[in-house]
mmCIF file of all heavy atoms in Angstrom:
data_model
loop_
_atom_site.group_PDB
_atom_site.id
_atom_site.type_symbol
_atom_site.label_atom_id
_atom_site.label_comp_id
_atom_site.label_asym_id
_atom_site.label_seq_id
_atom_site.Cartn_x
_atom_site.Cartn_y
_atom_site.Cartn_z
ATOM 1 N N ARG A 76 15.914 26.923 28.017
ATOM 2 C CA ARG A 76 16.060 26.700 29.486
ATOM 3 C C ARG A 76 16.145 25.209 29.794
ATOM 4 O O ARG A 76 16.949 24.755 30.549
ATOM 5 C CB ARG A 76 14.916 27.369 30.178
ATOM 6 C CG ARG A 76 14.974 27.303 31.712
ATOM 7 C CD ARG A 76 14.201 26.098 32.245
ATOM 8 N NE ARG A 76 12.825 26.083 31.779
ATOM 9 C CZ ARG A 76 12.044 24.998 31.844
ATOM 10 N NH1 ARG A 76 12.556 23.840 32.271
ATOM 11 N NH2 ARG A 76 10.825 25.045 31.378
ATOM 12 N N TRP A 77 15.221 24.455 29.128
ATOM 13 C CA TRP A 77 15.179 23.034 29.381
ATOM 14 C C TRP A 77 16.496 22.368 28.929
ATOM 15 O O TRP A 77 17.036 21.496 29.646
ATOM 16 C CB TRP A 77 13.948 22.455 28.572
ATOM 17 C CG TRP A 77 13.795 20.979 28.507
ATOM 18 C CD1 TRP A 77 13.195 20.226 29.447
ATOM 19 C CD2 TRP A 77 14.167 20.145 27.455
ATOM 20 N NE1 TRP A 77 13.171 18.894 28.979
ATOM 21 C CE2 TRP A 77 13.768 18.824 27.796
ATOM 22 C CE3 TRP A 77 14.827 20.324 26.235
ATOM 23 C CZ2 TRP A 77 13.971 17.717 26.964
ATOM 24 C CZ3 TRP A 77 15.055 19.247 25.381
ATOM 25 C CH2 TRP A 77 14.584 17.959 25.744
ATOM 26 N N ILE A 78 17.018 22.726 27.782
ATOM 27 C CA ILE A 78 18.289 22.208 27.302
ATOM 28 C C ILE A 78 19.378 22.497 28.312
ATOM 29 O O ILE A 78 20.174 21.587 28.684
ATOM 30 C CB ILE A 78 18.666 22.778 25.933
ATOM 31 C CG1 ILE A 78 17.667 22.323 24.829
ATOM 32 C CG2 ILE A 78 20.106 22.347 25.507
ATOM 33 C CD1 ILE A 78 17.863 23.024 23.517
ATOM 34 N N ALA A 79 19.504 23.725 28.744
ATOM 35 C CA ALA A 79 20.555 24.097 29.659
ATOM 36 C C ALA A 79 20.464 23.384 31.013
ATOM 37 O O ALA A 79 21.435 22.884 31.571
ATOM 38 C CB ALA A 79 20.541 25.610 29.958
ATOM 39 N N THR A 80 19.214 23.162 31.466
ATOM 40 C CA THR A 80 19.012 22.518 32.775
ATOM 41 C C THR A 80 19.454 21.050 32.680
ATOM 42 O O THR A 80 20.173 20.539 33.569
ATOM 43 C CB THR A 80 17.500 22.551 33.177
ATOM 44 O OG1 THR A 80 17.106 23.911 33.360
ATOM 45 C CG2 THR A 80 17.217 21.833 34.464
ATOM 46 N N ILE A 81 19.081 20.388 31.575
ATOM 47 C CA ILE A 81 19.445 18.972 31.461
ATOM 48 C C ILE A 81 20.929 18.833 31.197
ATOM 49 O O ILE A 81 21.570 17.964 31.739
ATOM 50 C CB ILE A 81 18.588 18.300 30.327
ATOM 51 C CG1 ILE A 81 17.143 18.318 30.735
ATOM 52 C CG2 ILE A 81 19.090 16.898 30.056
ATOM 53 C CD1 ILE A 81 16.194 17.786 29.679
ATOM 54 N N ALA A 82 21.479 19.695 30.345
ATOM 55 C CA ALA A 82 22.925 19.596 30.025
ATOM 56 C C ALA A 82 23.794 19.757 31.248
ATOM 57 O O ALA A 82 24.910 19.274 31.281
ATOM 58 C CB ALA A 82 23.270 20.687 28.969
ATOM 59 N N ALA A 83 23.306 20.466 32.279
ATOM 60 C CA ALA A 83 24.078 20.713 33.447
ATOM 61 C C ALA A 83 24.061 19.526 34.473
ATOM 62 O O ALA A 83 24.853 19.550 35.407
ATOM 63 C CB ALA A 83 23.561 21.952 34.167
ATOM 64 N N ARG A 84 23.246 18.532 34.169
ATOM 65 C CA ARG A 84 23.205 17.364 35.123
ATOM 66 C C ARG A 84 24.493 16.549 34.955
ATOM 67 O O ARG A 84 24.895 16.187 33.850
ATOM 68 C CB ARG A 84 22.015 16.490 34.772
ATOM 69 C CG ARG A 84 20.656 17.158 35.013
ATOM 70 C CD ARG A 84 19.477 16.300 34.623
ATOM 71 N NE ARG A 84 19.417 15.097 35.478
ATOM 72 C CZ ARG A 84 18.680 14.980 36.564
ATOM 73 N NH1 ARG A 84 17.970 16.072 36.968
ATOM 74 N NH2 ARG A 84 18.652 13.905 37.280
ATOM 75 N N PRO A 85 25.185 16.206 36.054
ATOM 76 C CA PRO A 85 26.422 15.470 35.981
ATOM 77 C C PRO A 85 26.294 14.147 35.186
ATOM 78 O O PRO A 85 27.132 13.792 34.443
ATOM 79 C CB PRO A 85 26.815 15.241 37.442
ATOM 80 C CG PRO A 85 26.164 16.394 38.137
ATOM 81 C CD PRO A 85 24.892 16.628 37.432
ATOM 82 N N ALA A 86 25.170 13.458 35.444
ATOM 83 C CA ALA A 86 24.986 12.133 34.722
ATOM 84 C C ALA A 86 24.866 12.336 33.218
ATOM 85 O O ALA A 86 25.314 11.535 32.431
ATOM 86 C CB ALA A 86 23.756 11.437 35.281
ATOM 87 N N VAL A 87 24.266 13.477 32.837
ATOM 88 C CA VAL A 87 24.100 13.762 31.418
ATOM 89 C C VAL A 87 25.473 14.059 30.793
ATOM 90 O O VAL A 87 25.803 13.619 29.717
ATOM 91 C CB VAL A 87 23.133 14.940 31.171
ATOM 92 C CG1 VAL A 87 23.153 15.382 29.721
ATOM 93 C CG2 VAL A 87 21.738 14.526 31.622
ATOM 94 N N GLU A 88 26.280 14.826 31.531
ATOM 95 C CA GLU A 88 27.657 15.149 31.068
ATOM 96 C C GLU A 88 28.418 13.831 30.888
ATOM 97 O O GLU A 88 29.131 13.685 29.892
ATOM 98 C CB GLU A 88 28.349 16.050 32.056
ATOM 99 C CG GLU A 88 27.760 17.485 32.141
ATOM 100 C CD GLU A 88 28.466 18.300 33.132
ATOM 101 O OE1 GLU A 88 29.338 17.807 33.874
ATOM 102 O OE2 GLU A 88 28.144 19.533 33.177
ATOM 103 N N ARG A 89 28.313 12.932 31.817
ATOM 104 C CA ARG A 89 29.031 11.645 31.721
ATOM 105 C C ARG A 89 28.482 10.839 30.552
ATOM 106 O O ARG A 89 29.243 10.214 29.805
ATOM 107 C CB ARG A 89 28.887 10.819 33.028
ATOM 108 C CG ARG A 89 29.620 11.522 34.192
ATOM 109 C CD ARG A 89 29.696 10.556 35.371
ATOM 110 N NE ARG A 89 28.415 10.035 35.835
ATOM 111 C CZ ARG A 89 27.679 10.612 36.743
ATOM 112 N NH1 ARG A 89 28.080 11.766 37.345
ATOM 113 N NH2 ARG A 89 26.537 10.092 37.151
ATOM 114 N N GLY A 90 27.176 10.810 30.388
ATOM 115 C CA GLY A 90 26.563 10.046 29.299
ATOM 116 C C GLY A 90 26.994 10.559 27.949
ATOM 117 O O GLY A 90 27.250 9.762 27.014
ATOM 118 N N LEU A 91 27.091 11.896 27.797
ATOM 119 C CA LEU A 91 27.518 12.426 26.508
ATOM 120 C C LEU A 91 28.981 12.175 26.194
ATOM 121 O O LEU A 91 29.377 12.200 25.043
ATOM 122 C CB LEU A 91 27.212 13.962 26.514
ATOM 123 C CG LEU A 91 25.767 14.363 26.486
ATOM 124 C CD1 LEU A 91 25.645 15.899 26.584
ATOM 125 C CD2 LEU A 91 25.053 13.854 25.249
ATOM 126 N N ALA A 92 29.748 11.959 27.267
ATOM 127 C CA ALA A 92 31.161 11.691 27.083
ATOM 128 C C ALA A 92 31.497 10.315 26.667
ATOM 129 O O ALA A 92 32.620 10.006 26.188
ATOM 130 C CB ALA A 92 31.950 12.056 28.394
ATOM 131 N N VAL A 93 30.502 9.387 26.837
ATOM 132 C CA VAL A 93 30.807 7.949 26.545
ATOM 133 C C VAL A 93 31.074 7.790 25.042
ATOM 134 O O VAL A 93 30.269 8.214 24.197
ATOM 135 C CB VAL A 93 29.578 7.101 26.935
ATOM 136 C CG1 VAL A 93 29.771 5.674 26.474
ATOM 137 C CG2 VAL A 93 29.381 7.131 28.444
ATOM 138 N N GLY A 94 32.237 7.215 24.732
ATOM 139 C CA GLY A 94 32.611 6.959 23.385
ATOM 140 C C GLY A 94 32.943 8.207 22.524
ATOM 141 O O GLY A 94 32.980 8.076 21.309
ATOM 142 N N ARG A 95 33.191 9.327 23.199
ATOM 143 C CA ARG A 95 33.494 10.503 22.444
ATOM 144 C C ARG A 95 34.687 10.274 21.525
ATOM 145 O O ARG A 95 34.759 10.868 20.412
ATOM 146 C CB ARG A 95 33.690 11.660 23.414
ATOM 147 C CG ARG A 95 33.902 12.997 22.762
ATOM 148 C CD ARG A 95 33.930 14.138 23.846
ATOM 149 N NE ARG A 95 32.608 14.336 24.419
ATOM 150 C CZ ARG A 95 32.427 14.910 25.586
ATOM 151 N NH1 ARG A 95 33.478 15.290 26.331
ATOM 152 N NH2 ARG A 95 31.162 15.125 26.073
ATOM 153 N N GLU A 96 35.640 9.507 21.967
ATOM 154 C CA GLU A 96 36.859 9.241 21.185
ATOM 155 C C GLU A 96 36.569 8.415 19.964
ATOM 156 O O GLU A 96 37.395 8.344 19.059
ATOM 157 C CB GLU A 96 37.863 8.548 22.098
ATOM 158 C CG GLU A 96 37.598 7.085 22.343
ATOM 159 C CD GLU A 96 36.523 6.859 23.503
ATOM 160 O OE1 GLU A 96 36.013 7.871 24.065
ATOM 161 O OE2 GLU A 96 36.202 5.697 23.755
ATOM 162 N N LEU A 97 35.407 7.780 19.883
ATOM 163 C CA LEU A 97 35.072 6.960 18.752
ATOM 164 C C LEU A 97 34.635 7.794 17.539
ATOM 165 O O LEU A 97 34.733 7.293 16.381
ATOM 166 C CB LEU A 97 33.905 5.980 19.145
ATOM 167 C CG LEU A 97 34.228 4.992 20.252
ATOM 168 C CD1 LEU A 97 32.951 4.246 20.591
ATOM 169 C CD2 LEU A 97 35.343 4.038 19.836
ATOM 170 N N SER A 98 34.152 8.980 17.806
ATOM 171 C CA SER A 98 33.572 9.808 16.706
ATOM 172 C C SER A 98 34.767 10.299 15.792
ATOM 173 O O SER A 98 35.764 10.747 16.310
ATOM 174 C CB SER A 98 32.834 10.961 17.306
ATOM 175 O OG SER A 98 31.781 11.320 16.547
ATOM 176 N N SER A 99 34.534 10.197 14.544
ATOM 177 C CA SER A 99 35.624 10.594 13.612
ATOM 178 C C SER A 99 35.255 11.657 12.603
ATOM 179 O O SER A 99 35.814 11.702 11.531
ATOM 180 C CB SER A 99 36.120 9.338 12.862
ATOM 181 O OG SER A 99 35.021 8.703 12.175
ATOM 182 N N GLY A 100 34.229 12.407 12.919
ATOM 183 C CA GLY A 100 33.873 13.514 12.063
ATOM 184 C C GLY A 100 32.890 13.089 10.945
ATOM 185 O O GLY A 100 32.289 12.037 10.997
ATOM 186 N N PRO A 101 32.804 13.886 9.876
ATOM 187 C CA PRO A 101 31.852 13.596 8.770
ATOM 188 C C PRO A 101 32.142 12.239 8.167
ATOM 189 O O PRO A 101 33.267 11.796 8.114
ATOM 190 C CB PRO A 101 32.106 14.754 7.810
ATOM 191 C CG PRO A 101 32.738 15.831 8.589
ATOM 192 C CD PRO A 101 33.523 15.148 9.668
ATOM 193 N N PRO A 102 31.065 11.583 7.657
ATOM 194 C CA PRO A 102 31.264 10.222 7.064
ATOM 195 C C PRO A 102 32.096 10.311 5.807
ATOM 196 O O PRO A 102 31.943 11.153 4.941
ATOM 197 C CB PRO A 102 29.842 9.786 6.829
ATOM 198 C CG PRO A 102 29.022 11.030 6.737
ATOM 199 C CD PRO A 102 29.717 12.008 7.641
ATOM 200 N N ASP A 103 33.025 9.306 5.663
ATOM 201 C CA ASP A 103 33.772 9.197 4.418
ATOM 202 C C ASP A 103 32.944 8.329 3.462
ATOM 203 O O ASP A 103 31.773 7.976 3.760
ATOM 204 C CB ASP A 103 35.132 8.551 4.680
ATOM 205 C CG ASP A 103 35.083 7.167 5.373
ATOM 206 O OD1 ASP A 103 33.985 6.555 5.349
ATOM 207 O OD2 ASP A 103 36.098 6.770 5.940
ATOM 208 N N GLU A 104 33.503 7.978 2.308
ATOM 209 C CA GLU A 104 32.717 7.268 1.286
ATOM 210 C C GLU A 104 32.292 5.926 1.802
ATOM 211 O O GLU A 104 31.152 5.505 1.448
ATOM 212 C CB GLU A 104 33.517 7.182 -0.022
ATOM 213 C CG GLU A 104 33.580 8.451 -0.813
ATOM 214 C CD GLU A 104 32.160 8.983 -1.098
ATOM 215 O OE1 GLU A 104 31.321 8.239 -1.635
ATOM 216 O OE2 GLU A 104 31.895 10.193 -0.782
ATOM 217 N N GLU A 105 33.137 5.183 2.478
ATOM 218 C CA GLU A 105 32.716 3.899 2.965
ATOM 219 C C GLU A 105 31.565 3.999 4.002
ATOM 220 O O GLU A 105 30.579 3.270 3.964
ATOM 221 C CB GLU A 105 33.885 3.184 3.668
ATOM 222 C CG GLU A 105 33.478 1.749 4.168
ATOM 223 C CD GLU A 105 34.572 1.042 4.894
ATOM 224 O OE1 GLU A 105 35.754 1.527 4.882
ATOM 225 O OE2 GLU A 105 34.289 -0.035 5.484
ATOM 226 N N ALA A 106 31.703 5.023 4.887
ATOM 227 C CA ALA A 106 30.640 5.218 5.868
ATOM 228 C C ALA A 106 29.330 5.594 5.188
ATOM 229 O O ALA A 106 28.229 5.130 5.558
ATOM 230 C CB ALA A 106 31.015 6.301 6.851
ATOM 231 N N ARG A 107 29.366 6.377 4.150
ATOM 232 C CA ARG A 107 28.183 6.771 3.407
ATOM 233 C C ARG A 107 27.476 5.587 2.855
ATOM 234 O O ARG A 107 26.275 5.489 2.867
ATOM 235 C CB ARG A 107 28.516 7.781 2.331
ATOM 236 C CG ARG A 107 28.993 9.127 2.799
ATOM 237 C CD ARG A 107 29.305 10.054 1.587
ATOM 238 N NE ARG A 107 28.075 10.338 0.963
ATOM 239 C CZ ARG A 107 27.232 11.388 1.286
ATOM 240 N NH1 ARG A 107 27.557 12.143 2.303
ATOM 241 N NH2 ARG A 107 26.119 11.623 0.647
ATOM 242 N N LYS A 108 28.188 4.599 2.385
ATOM 243 C CA LYS A 108 27.622 3.387 1.844
ATOM 244 C C LYS A 108 26.828 2.602 2.888
ATOM 245 O O LYS A 108 25.712 2.161 2.674
ATOM 246 C CB LYS A 108 28.671 2.503 1.189
ATOM 247 C CG LYS A 108 29.283 3.072 -0.092
ATOM 248 C CD LYS A 108 30.400 2.176 -0.640
ATOM 249 C CE LYS A 108 31.029 2.781 -1.867
ATOM 250 N NZ LYS A 108 32.145 1.941 -2.377
ATOM 251 N N HIS A 109 27.482 2.485 4.065
ATOM 252 C CA HIS A 109 26.825 1.754 5.149
ATOM 253 C C HIS A 109 25.638 2.506 5.767
ATOM 254 O O HIS A 109 24.615 1.879 6.107
ATOM 255 C CB HIS A 109 27.811 1.421 6.241
ATOM 256 C CG HIS A 109 28.879 0.477 5.817
ATOM 257 N ND1 HIS A 109 28.611 -0.797 5.358
ATOM 258 C CD2 HIS A 109 30.252 0.599 5.799
ATOM 259 C CE1 HIS A 109 29.786 -1.398 5.041
ATOM 260 N NE2 HIS A 109 30.754 -0.586 5.328
ATOM 261 N N LEU A 110 25.744 3.813 5.867
ATOM 262 C CA LEU A 110 24.752 4.615 6.525
ATOM 263 C C LEU A 110 23.603 4.963 5.610
ATOM 264 O O LEU A 110 22.396 5.032 6.090
ATOM 265 C CB LEU A 110 25.368 5.909 7.056
ATOM 266 C CG LEU A 110 26.444 5.754 8.175
ATOM 267 C CD1 LEU A 110 27.102 7.045 8.422
ATOM 268 C CD2 LEU A 110 25.812 5.235 9.425
ATOM 269 N N PHE A 111 23.862 5.228 4.341
ATOM 270 C CA PHE A 111 22.829 5.815 3.511
ATOM 271 C C PHE A 111 22.459 4.966 2.276
ATOM 272 O O PHE A 111 21.412 5.213 1.685
ATOM 273 C CB PHE A 111 23.305 7.224 2.969
ATOM 274 C CG PHE A 111 23.751 8.125 4.035
ATOM 275 C CD1 PHE A 111 24.884 8.869 3.909
ATOM 276 C CD2 PHE A 111 23.068 8.256 5.277
ATOM 277 C CE1 PHE A 111 25.332 9.773 4.890
ATOM 278 C CE2 PHE A 111 23.510 9.076 6.270
ATOM 279 C CZ PHE A 111 24.650 9.843 6.076
ATOM 280 N N GLU A 112 23.256 3.979 1.878
ATOM 281 C CA GLU A 112 23.045 3.325 0.638
ATOM 282 C C GLU A 112 22.702 1.839 0.838
ATOM 283 O O GLU A 112 21.996 1.289 -0.028
ATOM 284 C CB GLU A 112 24.251 3.444 -0.279
ATOM 285 C CG GLU A 112 24.541 4.924 -0.649
ATOM 286 C CD GLU A 112 25.842 5.113 -1.364
ATOM 287 O OE1 GLU A 112 26.358 4.079 -1.913
ATOM 288 O OE2 GLU A 112 26.351 6.222 -1.396
ATOM 289 N N LYS A 113 23.189 1.217 1.864
ATOM 290 C CA LYS A 113 22.910 -0.222 2.033
ATOM 291 C C LYS A 113 21.443 -0.425 2.421
ATOM 292 O O LYS A 113 20.891 0.209 3.276
ATOM 293 C CB LYS A 113 23.776 -0.776 3.148
ATOM 294 C CG LYS A 113 23.836 -2.338 3.167
ATOM 295 C CD LYS A 113 24.996 -2.865 3.970
ATOM 296 C CE LYS A 113 25.093 -4.355 3.843
ATOM 297 N NZ LYS A 113 26.316 -4.875 4.563
ATOM 298 N N LYS A 114 20.789 -1.396 1.634
ATOM 299 C CA LYS A 114 19.367 -1.567 1.840
ATOM 300 C C LYS A 114 19.040 -2.533 2.934
ATOM 301 O O LYS A 114 17.979 -2.455 3.516
ATOM 302 C CB LYS A 114 18.784 -2.038 0.485
ATOM 303 C CG LYS A 114 18.897 -0.999 -0.622
ATOM 304 C CD LYS A 114 18.283 -1.505 -1.917
ATOM 305 C CE LYS A 114 18.246 -0.384 -2.997
ATOM 306 N NZ LYS A 114 19.539 0.144 -3.330
#
């Protein structure tokens, strides 16, 4: 119920849409190095 209530807020919908076009799916090998392997 809490998730549905918050998800329905217009500001939340707008916030979740920010940069949506930047997302490119699962990480490739280069992304894995930066996300999981670089110390």
Side-chain angles (χ1 to χ4, degrees):
R76 183 267 307 162
W77 174 84
I78 292 171
T80 299
I81 295 176
R84 295 177 67 91
V87 172
E88 293 179 353
R89 294 193 302 270
L91 292 175
V93 173
R95 187 172 288 159
E96 72 283 358
L97 300 173
S98 215
S99 57
D103 57 19
E104 283 306 306
E105 181 182 352
R107 294 182 66 87
K108 290 177 183 178
H109 293 302
L110 295 171
F111 309 137
E112 298 173 19
K113 194 164 183 174
K114 295 181 174 58

